[in-house]
Amino acid sequence: MGCSNSGSPAYGEMSWFCCGSSWGPCGSAGHGACGTCNSGSHQCAWPNTSDACFGITHPDQCGEGLARRTCGHVFYVTSVCSGKCVSVSIADCGPDTNPFCGERSCCGSTCYTNRIIDLTPSAYSAIADLSTGLSPARIDS
Amino acid sequence: MPQPDRRRFLTSAVLGGSAVAGATALGSLAPEAAFAAPPKIKLDPGALDPNFAEGRITGISGSLLRASGSDRTLHRVHVTDGTSIWKLHPTTFDQIKVGDGFYARGVRLPDGSLAADAIWVNIVNLDASIAAIEAARLHLDHNGKRVIGHVVGGRTAAVYGSAPAVADLTRLQVGRHVKVIGAWRPDTNEVDVATVYSGA
């Protein structure tokens, strides 16, 4: 599989997060739940990497039936706004989906709901502008 | 007339050794313009991205930024008239200072330097909870540490749920989880807030 060609993609909001060695408020971020996360690598956080992770993020409370995927699993994330796609591997648990249930991001008339994936700055900036913070995306396995 | 290729343009501009005149021939220089090119992302998942750099700026020579990466890698980043620059808002090269943190994306040149398509200066994206609210400041708890978020008149906006961004911050509540896009004030625990996303 690859970009935009799997049978059961997920649609939602993507954001970005820092991890690994960093500066400023990110300096205390650490290397993520998988111990491998670095801002300069094409990696992501997924809200259902383990029971403990799911117990924090609870995407189910937003109506999201996201599959269990563990460290190293590869997703293909396509930005609705740019049409660009990046491949990323899971390196952390997140985002914290349930505090923001119903939140929606749009690009033109295409809108997707709920935060379902966080990308590292290098991955997010490959397909979107970091200053947007949130953006609609399609996720394929 | 076809749109010039932004990456080829940046590369030739740097190799030419001079600032670029007439960059507006590329169209908008806003950050989002850097992502308008066709999709060509070829990199193994999990791999370090050679076309990306981050760290703290240690020196500025003409249009060249020298920087120390958080992993102690030394970077040289070329900024041209075609580079989009963000520092709380889209801005100009003269606003970049030694000591600033940054993320940059561009084209890696044969000499190892990076010709920047886009550079985000001091940008942060914080998951936090609101500990206290003052007239011009938000007290945020982020990863167990306190961060002060300064409200910037004419810039700071709030997004409540799926509604459009507004300048009204009065619906923010203590204890609420928020996401904050802002610009770090170097060597402090303070940020200037661009956008605060609140769940409802």
Side-chain angles (χ1 to χ4, degrees), chain A residues 16 22 40 42 85 122 125 129 132, chain B residues 31 35 46 49 105 120 125 197:
Chain A
W16 60 272
S22 193
H42 282 193
C85 175
S122 64
S125 66
D129 178 358
T132 59
Chain B
F35 306 95
D49 187 341
R105 170 157 295 285
W120 297 269
N125 187 352
Y197 295 90

Side-chain angles (χ1 to χ4, degrees), chain B residues 3-4 6 23-30 33:
Chain B
Q3 182 87 343
R6 187 181 179 91
T24 50
L26 289 168
S28 170
L29 297 182

